[in-house]
Amino acid sequence: IILKSHANNLQPVDAFTSKCIQLYETTTVRHGLMLVGPTGGGKTCCNLILAEALTASNGIGFFTTTRRTIMNPKSITMGQLYGSFDENTHEWTDGILSTIVRTCTNEDNEDKKWIVCDGPVDAVWIENMNTVLDDNKKLCLVSGEIIKLSATICMQFEVEDLAVASPATVSRCGMIFIEPAALGVKVLCLSWTERLPDEFKPFAKKYENLFDAYVMPALTFLRRNLTETALTVDNNVVASMLKIIDCLIRLALKNEESEDDIKIKPDKMVADSFFFALIWSIGATCDFGSRAKFDKWLRDATHGDENA
């Protein structure tokens, strides 16, 4: 898990690796499970790293090659998901999920197949999965076809909450709660500095120092004193901040390649890009009145700081 985390530019902190282990333990006892938690908690990465680690460990003990098939059930209609009859010709058309399940079931090998439904749980489509998730392990289609799941298939659902899931569905699944707060935001900064362009590598430590000095205090001030127009998650706004810095860095590198007289030196733009991104990510989610408060707080916080 640690090796695959480094290979994917992720930080194998204890909170992350323990969730990967919990996911593996759940797959050994359940063929249906749910990864529950808000965006930015690491649900997809946890799933990906474990699959890659199991594949790399193929042949060792009970570990075997693991393949993932990912889809978003809420992005399509019920007919496209499970299959439907044409109203005019009464011809049956297979759905995406039924096709995936049939293909995985018909494969004659011992590879693990994870069918990942990455999207909100809806009371409409999830109820049709109850026969799949219980001990019957059968997908019953409107056409009368019944597909029996093989022992190598595992149904996984990446969801934000279980507000509309019925107790019948929840009781059939293993549950793994992944909380962004446990992961923290520092890991995002560490992974980001590792993939900085070569021209900005020498300034990675300066970015980290600015991150430690201002990001967590800014998030704390945002949560306690400001009013947001839309609810956000800490990891999400920090990821947005790092993407804004990425855009500014690309712009600076592009200007260097051009023949224009305007040249931006990397050492001169480290602090400028950081505070610009901080204002337009963490400071941009609040209403107009709160923006004035954030402006005053940031000016007070940077007063006397020679790095700012």
Side-chain angles (χ1 to χ4, degrees):
I1 291 173
I2 292 174
L3 289 174
K4 288 300 176 182
S5 296
H6 287 307
N8 286 274
N9 194 33
L10 299 173
Q11 306 303 314
V13 293
D14 291 341
F16 181 74
T17 54
S18 63
K19 290 301 177 182
C20 291
I21 294 169
Q22 286 178 28
L23 177 58
Y24 171 71
E25 291 173 343
T26 308
T27 59
T28 59
V29 295
R30 295 270 190 166
H31 68 277
L33 58 93
M34 290 187 177
L35 292 159
V36 186
T39 304
K43 300 190 294 294
T44 302
C45 289
C46 179
N47 188 299
L48 169 68
I49 296 302
L50 179 60
E52 290 189 359
L54 291 173
T55 302
S57 305
N58 183 29
I60 304 174
F62 297 103
F63 302 138
T64 184
T65 301
T66 304
R67 293 188 292 104
R68 302 188 311 151
T69 304
I70 306 170
M71 62 175 298
N72 182 359
K74 280 290 285 181
S75 65
I76 53 180
T77 63
M78 284 283 290
Q80 293 169 332
L81 184 63
Y82 291 108
S84 61
F85 280 109
D86 188 284
E87 293 182 0
N88 298 320
T89 63
H90 295 284
E91 183 182 355
W92 172 256
T93 303
D94 253 334
I96 295 174
L97 182 61
S98 58
T99 303
I100 292 172
V101 171
R102 188 184 295 107
T103 303
C104 292
T105 302
N106 292 337
E107 289 185 7
D108 188 19
N109 55 47
E110 293 301 316
D111 293 353
K112 295 288 186 183
K113 298 105 181 171
W114 291 356
I115 301 174
V116 183
C117 296
D118 189 356
V121 167
D122 189 323
V124 178
W125 72 265
I126 196 66
E127 290 301 318
N128 293 320
M129 298 290 288
N130 284 348
T131 54
V132 176
L133 298 172
D134 62 20
D135 292 337
N136 293 321
K137 298 175 71 172
K138 292 178 180 178
L139 179 61
C140 302
L141 304 177
V142 181
S143 63
E145 182 185 4
I146 298 175
I147 304 174
K148 172 75 172 173
L149 272 68
S150 64
T152 57
I153 294 178
C154 177
M155 299 294 303
Q156 299 188 12
F157 305 91
E158 293 185 19
V159 299
E160 184 168 357
D161 55 53
L162 301 171
V164 295
S166 68
T169 303
V170 173
S171 63
R172 287 171 164 83
C173 292
M175 292 290 164
I176 301 159
F177 183 64
I178 298 180
E179 189 179 16
L183 199 62
V185 295
K186 178 65 176 177
V187 291
L188 297 177
C189 177
L190 294 175
S191 293
W192 177 77
T193 53
E194 287 178 2
R195 65 173 188 268
L196 276 173
D198 293 336
E199 293 87 346
F200 284 82
K201 284 283 187 187
F203 309 105
K205 192 62 182 176
K206 187 174 181 180
Y207 271 120
E208 287 183 26
N209 292 337
L210 288 168
F211 193 93
D212 293 337
Y214 294 103
V215 170
M216 279 311 299
L219 289 171
T220 303
F221 185 78
L222 170 67
R223 301 297 174 218
R224 292 181 179 177
N225 302 295
L226 307 182
T227 304
E228 289 186 290
T229 54
L231 294 178
T232 58
V233 182
D234 288 354
N235 300 52
N236 200 357
V237 291
V238 171
S240 299
M241 185 187 86
L242 298 177
K243 286 179 181 177
I244 293 173
I245 300 177
D246 279 336
C247 294
L248 296 172
I249 288 175
R250 285 199 192 96
L251 185 63
L253 296 177
K254 188 177 179 182
N255 286 342
E256 279 190 2
E257 293 174 0
S258 67
E259 297 180 356
D260 296 339
D261 295 333
I262 303 173
K263 301 289 184 183
I264 303 175
K265 294 182 179 180
D267 57 326
K268 298 293 185 183
M269 67 166 291
V270 170
D272 295 344
S273 62
F274 176 84
F275 286 107
F276 179 86
L278 181 74
I279 292 167
W280 285 104
S281 56
I282 299 175
T285 63
C286 48
D287 59 19
F288 186 77
S290 296
R291 290 188 179 190
K293 295 180 184 177
F294 186 83
D295 173 72
K296 184 178 184 308
W297 172 85
L298 187 58
R299 290 177 186 276
D300 293 341
T302 56
H303 182 69
D305 187 352
E306 58 184 19
N307 292 323

Short mmCIF file of all heavy atoms in Angstrom, two decimals, residues 245-296:
data_model
loop_
_atom_site.label_atom_id
_atom_site.label_comp_id
_atom_site.label_asym_id
_atom_site.label_seq_id
_atom_site.Cartn_x
_atom_site.Cartn_y
_atom_site.Cartn_z
N ILE A 245 -2.65 27.98 -7.96
CA ILE A 245 -1.19 28.19 -8.00
C ILE A 245 -0.60 27.49 -9.22
O ILE A 245 0.29 28.02 -9.89
CB ILE A 245 -0.52 27.69 -6.70
CG1 ILE A 245 -1.07 28.44 -5.49
CG2 ILE A 245 0.99 27.88 -6.78
CD1 ILE A 245 -0.52 27.96 -4.16
N ASP A 246 -1.09 26.27 -9.52
CA ASP A 246 -0.63 25.55 -10.71
C ASP A 246 -0.84 26.38 -11.98
O ASP A 246 0.03 26.44 -12.85
CB ASP A 246 -1.37 24.21 -10.84
CG ASP A 246 -0.78 23.13 -9.95
OD1 ASP A 246 0.41 23.25 -9.60
OD2 ASP A 246 -1.50 22.18 -9.60
N CYS A 247 -2.01 27.00 -12.07
CA CYS A 247 -2.32 27.83 -13.25
C CYS A 247 -1.35 29.01 -13.35
O CYS A 247 -0.87 29.34 -14.44
CB CYS A 247 -3.76 28.34 -13.18
SG CYS A 247 -5.01 27.05 -13.29
N LEU A 248 -1.05 29.64 -12.22
CA LEU A 248 -0.14 30.79 -12.22
C LEU A 248 1.28 30.36 -12.58
O LEU A 248 2.01 31.08 -13.28
CB LEU A 248 -0.15 31.47 -10.84
CG LEU A 248 -1.49 32.11 -10.42
CD1 LEU A 248 -1.44 32.56 -8.97
CD2 LEU A 248 -1.83 33.28 -11.34
N ILE A 249 1.68 29.17 -12.11
CA ILE A 249 3.01 28.66 -12.43
C ILE A 249 3.12 28.36 -13.93
O ILE A 249 4.12 28.69 -14.58
CB ILE A 249 3.32 27.40 -11.60
CG1 ILE A 249 3.57 27.79 -10.14
CG2 ILE A 249 4.52 26.64 -12.16
CD1 ILE A 249 3.76 26.60 -9.20
N ARG A 250 2.07 27.74 -14.48
CA ARG A 250 2.08 27.45 -15.93
C ARG A 250 2.16 28.74 -16.75
O ARG A 250 2.85 28.80 -17.77
CB ARG A 250 0.82 26.67 -16.31
CG ARG A 250 0.84 25.22 -15.88
CD ARG A 250 -0.18 24.40 -16.64
NE ARG A 250 -0.36 23.10 -16.04
CZ ARG A 250 -1.33 22.78 -15.17
NH1 ARG A 250 -2.19 23.71 -14.82
NH2 ARG A 250 -1.43 21.58 -14.68
N LEU A 251 1.44 29.75 -16.28
CA LEU A 251 1.46 31.04 -16.98
C LEU A 251 2.85 31.65 -16.94
O LEU A 251 3.35 32.19 -17.94
CB LEU A 251 0.44 31.98 -16.33
CG LEU A 251 0.24 33.34 -17.01
CD1 LEU A 251 -0.31 33.16 -18.41
CD2 LEU A 251 -0.70 34.21 -16.18
N ALA A 252 3.52 31.53 -15.78
CA ALA A 252 4.88 32.08 -15.64
C ALA A 252 5.86 31.33 -16.55
O ALA A 252 6.71 31.94 -17.20
CB ALA A 252 5.33 31.98 -14.19
N LEU A 253 5.73 30.00 -16.60
CA LEU A 253 6.62 29.20 -17.45
C LEU A 253 6.36 29.49 -18.93
O LEU A 253 7.29 29.50 -19.75
CB LEU A 253 6.43 27.71 -17.16
CG LEU A 253 6.82 27.25 -15.75
CD1 LEU A 253 6.52 25.78 -15.58
CD2 LEU A 253 8.30 27.52 -15.49
N LYS A 254 5.10 29.74 -19.27
CA LYS A 254 4.76 30.05 -20.66
C LYS A 254 5.36 31.39 -21.06
O LYS A 254 5.85 31.56 -22.19
CB LYS A 254 3.24 30.09 -20.82
CG LYS A 254 2.78 30.22 -22.25
CD LYS A 254 1.25 30.16 -22.33
CE LYS A 254 0.78 30.31 -23.78
NZ LYS A 254 -0.70 30.30 -23.87
N ASN A 255 5.34 32.36 -20.15
CA ASN A 255 5.92 33.68 -20.43
C ASN A 255 7.43 33.59 -20.60
O ASN A 255 8.03 34.33 -21.39
CB ASN A 255 5.59 34.67 -19.31
CG ASN A 255 4.14 35.12 -19.35
OD1 ASN A 255 3.48 34.98 -20.38
ND2 ASN A 255 3.64 35.65 -18.25
N GLU A 256 8.06 32.67 -19.86
CA GLU A 256 9.51 32.49 -19.98
C GLU A 256 9.89 31.97 -21.36
O GLU A 256 10.92 32.32 -21.92
CB GLU A 256 10.02 31.53 -18.90
CG GLU A 256 10.23 32.18 -17.55
CD GLU A 256 10.96 31.26 -16.59
OE1 GLU A 256 11.34 30.15 -17.01
OE2 GLU A 256 11.17 31.66 -15.44
N GLU A 257 9.04 31.10 -21.91
CA GLU A 257 9.31 30.51 -23.22
C GLU A 257 9.07 31.50 -24.35
O GLU A 257 9.65 31.38 -25.43
CB GLU A 257 8.44 29.27 -23.43
CG GLU A 257 8.79 28.12 -22.48
CD GLU A 257 7.81 26.97 -22.60
OE1 GLU A 257 6.88 27.08 -23.43
OE2 GLU A 257 7.97 25.97 -21.88
N SER A 258 8.20 32.48 -24.10
CA SER A 258 7.90 33.45 -25.15
C SER A 258 9.03 34.46 -25.29
O SER A 258 9.93 34.55 -24.45
CB SER A 258 6.59 34.17 -24.83
OG SER A 258 6.74 34.98 -23.68
N GLU A 259 8.99 35.25 -26.35
CA GLU A 259 10.04 36.23 -26.61
C GLU A 259 9.68 37.62 -26.10
O GLU A 259 10.35 38.60 -26.42
CB GLU A 259 10.32 36.29 -28.13
CG GLU A 259 10.84 34.97 -28.69
CD GLU A 259 11.10 35.05 -30.18
OE1 GLU A 259 10.79 36.11 -30.77
OE2 GLU A 259 11.59 34.06 -30.74
N ASP A 260 8.61 37.71 -25.34
CA ASP A 260 8.20 39.01 -24.80
C ASP A 260 9.21 39.52 -23.78
O ASP A 260 10.00 38.76 -23.21
CB ASP A 260 6.81 38.92 -24.15
CG ASP A 260 5.74 38.56 -25.18
OD1 ASP A 260 5.99 38.77 -26.38
OD2 ASP A 260 4.68 38.05 -24.77
N ASP A 261 9.16 40.81 -23.52
CA ASP A 261 10.06 41.40 -22.54
C ASP A 261 9.67 41.06 -21.11
O ASP A 261 10.48 41.17 -20.20
CB ASP A 261 10.10 42.93 -22.72
CG ASP A 261 10.69 43.32 -24.06
OD1 ASP A 261 11.50 42.53 -24.59
OD2 ASP A 261 10.34 44.40 -24.57
N ILE A 262 8.40 40.67 -20.91
CA ILE A 262 7.91 40.40 -19.56
C ILE A 262 8.40 39.02 -19.10
O ILE A 262 8.02 38.00 -19.67
CB ILE A 262 6.37 40.45 -19.50
CG1 ILE A 262 5.87 41.81 -19.98
CG2 ILE A 262 5.88 40.16 -18.09
CD1 ILE A 262 4.36 41.88 -20.11
N LYS A 263 9.27 39.00 -18.13
CA LYS A 263 9.78 37.75 -17.57
C LYS A 263 9.44 37.70 -16.07
O LYS A 263 9.67 38.68 -15.34
CB LYS A 263 11.31 37.65 -17.74
CG LYS A 263 11.77 37.72 -19.20
CD LYS A 263 11.39 36.46 -19.97
CE LYS A 263 11.94 36.52 -21.39
NZ LYS A 263 11.53 35.36 -22.20
N ILE A 264 8.90 36.60 -15.63
CA ILE A 264 8.53 36.45 -14.23
C ILE A 264 9.51 35.49 -13.57
O ILE A 264 9.63 34.33 -13.98
CB ILE A 264 7.09 35.92 -14.08
CG1 ILE A 264 6.11 36.84 -14.79
CG2 ILE A 264 6.72 35.78 -12.60
CD1 ILE A 264 4.69 36.33 -14.80
N LYS A 265 10.23 35.97 -12.55
CA LYS A 265 11.19 35.11 -11.86
C LYS A 265 10.46 34.25 -10.83
O LYS A 265 9.61 34.77 -10.08
CB LYS A 265 12.25 35.97 -11.17
CG LYS A 265 13.15 36.74 -12.14
CD LYS A 265 14.20 37.52 -11.40
CE LYS A 265 15.10 38.26 -12.38
NZ LYS A 265 16.15 39.04 -11.67
N PRO A 266 10.75 32.95 -10.78
CA PRO A 266 10.05 32.06 -9.85
C PRO A 266 10.13 32.51 -8.40
O PRO A 266 9.13 32.47 -7.68
CB PRO A 266 10.77 30.72 -10.05
CG PRO A 266 11.32 30.78 -11.43
CD PRO A 266 11.68 32.22 -11.65
N ASP A 267 11.32 32.99 -7.96
CA ASP A 267 11.47 33.37 -6.56
C ASP A 267 10.61 34.58 -6.21
O ASP A 267 10.21 34.76 -5.06
CB ASP A 267 12.93 33.65 -6.22
CG ASP A 267 13.53 34.73 -7.11
OD1 ASP A 267 13.12 34.81 -8.29
OD2 ASP A 267 14.38 35.50 -6.62
N LYS A 268 10.32 35.43 -7.22
CA LYS A 268 9.53 36.63 -6.96
C LYS A 268 8.03 36.33 -6.86
O LYS A 268 7.28 37.10 -6.27
CB LYS A 268 9.75 37.66 -8.07
CG LYS A 268 11.19 38.15 -8.20
CD LYS A 268 11.62 38.96 -7.00
CE LYS A 268 13.01 39.53 -7.20
NZ LYS A 268 13.47 40.27 -5.99
N MET A 269 7.58 35.23 -7.45
CA MET A 269 6.14 34.98 -7.52
C MET A 269 5.65 33.93 -6.53
O MET A 269 4.46 33.64 -6.50
CB MET A 269 5.73 34.55 -8.93
CG MET A 269 6.25 33.22 -9.40
SD MET A 269 5.40 32.65 -10.89
CE MET A 269 3.76 32.28 -10.27
N VAL A 270 6.52 33.36 -5.70
CA VAL A 270 6.10 32.32 -4.76
C VAL A 270 5.04 32.86 -3.80
O VAL A 270 3.93 32.35 -3.71
CB VAL A 270 7.31 31.76 -3.98
CG1 VAL A 270 6.83 30.85 -2.85
CG2 VAL A 270 8.22 30.98 -4.91
N ALA A 271 5.39 33.93 -3.08
CA ALA A 271 4.46 34.50 -2.11
C ALA A 271 3.24 35.12 -2.80
O ALA A 271 2.10 34.96 -2.33
CB ALA A 271 5.16 35.55 -1.25
N ASP A 272 3.48 35.79 -3.94
CA ASP A 272 2.37 36.43 -4.67
C ASP A 272 1.34 35.40 -5.12
O ASP A 272 0.13 35.59 -4.94
CB ASP A 272 2.90 37.19 -5.88
CG ASP A 272 3.79 38.36 -5.49
OD1 ASP A 272 3.73 38.75 -4.31
OD2 ASP A 272 4.51 38.87 -6.35
N SER A 273 1.81 34.30 -5.70
CA SER A 273 0.89 33.27 -6.18
C SER A 273 0.17 32.59 -5.03
O SER A 273 -1.03 32.28 -5.13
CB SER A 273 1.65 32.22 -7.00
OG SER A 273 2.62 31.56 -6.20
N PHE A 274 0.88 32.41 -3.91
CA PHE A 274 0.26 31.75 -2.76
C PHE A 274 -0.89 32.57 -2.20
O PHE A 274 -1.99 32.05 -2.01
CB PHE A 274 1.31 31.51 -1.66
CG PHE A 274 0.73 30.91 -0.40
CD1 PHE A 274 0.53 29.55 -0.29
CD2 PHE A 274 0.37 31.73 0.66
CE1 PHE A 274 -0.02 29.00 0.86
CE2 PHE A 274 -0.19 31.19 1.81
CZ PHE A 274 -0.38 29.83 1.91
N PHE A 275 -0.66 33.87 -1.97
CA PHE A 275 -1.70 34.70 -1.36
C PHE A 275 -2.84 34.99 -2.34
O PHE A 275 -4.00 35.09 -1.91
CB PHE A 275 -1.10 35.99 -0.81
CG PHE A 275 -0.31 35.78 0.44
CD1 PHE A 275 1.08 35.86 0.44
CD2 PHE A 275 -0.95 35.46 1.63
CE1 PHE A 275 1.81 35.64 1.59
CE2 PHE A 275 -0.23 35.25 2.80
CZ PHE A 275 1.16 35.33 2.77
N PHE A 276 -2.52 35.09 -3.62
CA PHE A 276 -3.59 35.25 -4.62
C PHE A 276 -4.52 34.03 -4.58
O PHE A 276 -5.75 34.16 -4.57
CB PHE A 276 -2.98 35.42 -6.00
CG PHE A 276 -4.00 35.57 -7.10
CD1 PHE A 276 -4.54 36.80 -7.42
CD2 PHE A 276 -4.44 34.46 -7.82
CE1 PHE A 276 -5.49 36.94 -8.42
CE2 PHE A 276 -5.39 34.58 -8.82
CZ PHE A 276 -5.92 35.83 -9.12
N ALA A 277 -3.91 32.84 -4.55
CA ALA A 277 -4.70 31.60 -4.53
C ALA A 277 -5.46 31.45 -3.21
O ALA A 277 -6.60 30.98 -3.19
CB ALA A 277 -3.78 30.39 -4.75
N LEU A 278 -4.83 31.86 -2.10
CA LEU A 278 -5.48 31.78 -0.79
C LEU A 278 -6.75 32.63 -0.76
O LEU A 278 -7.80 32.19 -0.28
CB LEU A 278 -4.51 32.24 0.30
CG LEU A 278 -5.02 32.20 1.74
CD1 LEU A 278 -5.07 30.75 2.25
CD2 LEU A 278 -4.13 33.02 2.67
N ILE A 279 -6.66 33.83 -1.30
CA ILE A 279 -7.80 34.75 -1.31
C ILE A 279 -8.93 34.23 -2.20
O ILE A 279 -10.11 34.29 -1.83
CB ILE A 279 -7.35 36.16 -1.77
CG1 ILE A 279 -6.42 36.77 -0.72
CG2 ILE A 279 -8.54 37.07 -2.03
CD1 ILE A 279 -5.66 37.99 -1.20
N TRP A 280 -8.57 33.68 -3.36
CA TRP A 280 -9.60 33.26 -4.32
C TRP A 280 -10.02 31.80 -4.16
O TRP A 280 -10.68 31.25 -5.03
CB TRP A 280 -9.12 33.52 -5.75
CG TRP A 280 -9.19 34.97 -6.07
CD1 TRP A 280 -8.16 35.85 -6.15
CD2 TRP A 280 -10.38 35.72 -6.31
NE1 TRP A 280 -8.62 37.11 -6.43
CE2 TRP A 280 -9.99 37.06 -6.54
CE3 TRP A 280 -11.74 35.41 -6.36
CZ2 TRP A 280 -10.90 38.08 -6.82
CZ3 TRP A 280 -12.65 36.42 -6.63
CH2 TRP A 280 -12.23 37.73 -6.86
N SER A 281 -9.65 31.18 -3.06
CA SER A 281 -10.14 29.83 -2.75
C SER A 281 -10.81 29.83 -1.38
O SER A 281 -12.04 29.80 -1.27
CB SER A 281 -9.01 28.80 -2.81
OG SER A 281 -7.94 29.18 -1.94
N ILE A 282 -10.01 29.94 -0.33
CA ILE A 282 -10.56 29.94 1.02
C ILE A 282 -11.36 31.21 1.29
O ILE A 282 -12.41 31.18 1.93
CB ILE A 282 -9.43 29.78 2.06
CG1 ILE A 282 -8.71 28.44 1.85
CG2 ILE A 282 -9.98 29.87 3.48
CD1 ILE A 282 -7.50 28.24 2.74
N GLY A 283 -10.89 32.34 0.76
CA GLY A 283 -11.57 33.60 1.01
C GLY A 283 -12.71 33.90 0.06
O GLY A 283 -13.42 34.90 0.23
N ALA A 284 -12.89 33.06 -0.95
CA ALA A 284 -13.89 33.35 -1.98
C ALA A 284 -15.22 32.63 -1.77
O ALA A 284 -16.16 32.86 -2.52
CB ALA A 284 -13.33 33.00 -3.36
N THR A 285 -15.30 31.76 -0.77
CA THR A 285 -16.53 30.97 -0.59
C THR A 285 -17.55 31.67 0.29
O THR A 285 -18.67 31.17 0.44
CB THR A 285 -16.20 29.60 0.04
OG1 THR A 285 -15.64 29.81 1.35
CG2 THR A 285 -15.20 28.83 -0.81
N CYS A 286 -17.19 32.82 0.87
CA CYS A 286 -18.08 33.49 1.82
C CYS A 286 -18.84 34.64 1.14
O CYS A 286 -18.56 35.01 0.00
CB CYS A 286 -17.30 34.02 3.02
SG CYS A 286 -15.81 34.92 2.58
N ASP A 287 -19.81 35.21 1.86
CA ASP A 287 -20.61 36.30 1.30
C ASP A 287 -19.84 37.62 1.35
O ASP A 287 -18.71 37.68 1.84
CB ASP A 287 -21.95 36.40 2.03
CG ASP A 287 -21.78 36.64 3.53
OD1 ASP A 287 -20.68 37.07 3.94
OD2 ASP A 287 -22.73 36.39 4.29
N PHE A 288 -20.48 38.69 0.85
CA PHE A 288 -19.79 39.97 0.69
C PHE A 288 -19.32 40.54 2.03
O PHE A 288 -18.20 41.03 2.15
CB PHE A 288 -20.70 40.98 -0.02
CG PHE A 288 -20.02 42.27 -0.36
CD1 PHE A 288 -19.16 42.36 -1.44
CD2 PHE A 288 -20.23 43.40 0.42
CE1 PHE A 288 -18.52 43.55 -1.76
CE2 PHE A 288 -19.59 44.60 0.11
CZ PHE A 288 -18.73 44.68 -0.97
N GLY A 289 -20.17 40.47 3.04
CA GLY A 289 -19.80 41.00 4.36
C GLY A 289 -18.63 40.25 4.97
O GLY A 289 -17.75 40.84 5.61
N SER A 290 -18.61 38.93 4.77
CA SER A 290 -17.53 38.11 5.33
C SER A 290 -16.21 38.34 4.61
O SER A 290 -15.14 38.15 5.19
CB SER A 290 -17.92 36.63 5.25
OG SER A 290 -19.06 36.35 6.04
N ARG A 291 -16.27 38.74 3.35
CA ARG A 291 -15.04 38.99 2.60
C ARG A 291 -14.25 40.16 3.21
O ARG A 291 -13.02 40.15 3.22
CB ARG A 291 -15.34 39.26 1.13
CG ARG A 291 -15.81 38.03 0.38
CD ARG A 291 -15.93 38.26 -1.11
NE ARG A 291 -16.36 37.04 -1.78
CZ ARG A 291 -16.36 36.86 -3.09
NH1 ARG A 291 -15.96 37.85 -3.88
NH2 ARG A 291 -16.76 35.74 -3.63
N ALA A 292 -14.96 41.16 3.71
CA ALA A 292 -14.30 42.28 4.37
C ALA A 292 -13.60 41.81 5.65
O ALA A 292 -12.48 42.25 5.96
CB ALA A 292 -15.32 43.37 4.69
N LYS A 293 -14.25 40.92 6.37
CA LYS A 293 -13.63 40.35 7.59
C LYS A 293 -12.38 39.55 7.24
O LYS A 293 -11.36 39.62 7.93
CB LYS A 293 -14.63 39.45 8.32
CG LYS A 293 -15.84 40.16 8.88
CD LYS A 293 -16.75 39.16 9.58
CE LYS A 293 -18.03 39.81 10.07
NZ LYS A 293 -18.95 38.81 10.69
N PHE A 294 -12.49 38.75 6.17
CA PHE A 294 -11.34 37.93 5.76
C PHE A 294 -10.18 38.83 5.31
O PHE A 294 -9.01 38.54 5.62
CB PHE A 294 -11.74 36.98 4.63
CG PHE A 294 -10.67 36.00 4.23
CD1 PHE A 294 -10.49 34.83 4.95
CD2 PHE A 294 -9.82 36.27 3.16
CE1 PHE A 294 -9.49 33.93 4.60
CE2 PHE A 294 -8.83 35.37 2.80
CZ PHE A 294 -8.66 34.19 3.53
N ASP A 295 -10.50 39.91 4.62
CA ASP A 295 -9.48 40.86 4.17
C ASP A 295 -8.73 41.45 5.36
O ASP A 295 -7.50 41.50 5.37
CB ASP A 295 -10.14 41.97 3.35
CG ASP A 295 -9.16 43.08 2.99
OD1 ASP A 295 -8.29 42.83 2.14
OD2 ASP A 295 -9.27 44.17 3.57
N LYS A 296 -9.49 41.86 6.40
CA LYS A 296 -8.86 42.44 7.59
C LYS A 296 -8.01 41.40 8.31
O LYS A 296 -6.90 41.68 8.76
CB LYS A 296 -9.94 42.98 8.53
CG LYS A 296 -9.38 43.69 9.76
CD LYS A 296 -10.48 44.26 10.62
CE LYS A 296 -9.91 45.06 11.80
NZ LYS A 296 -8.92 44.31 12.59
#
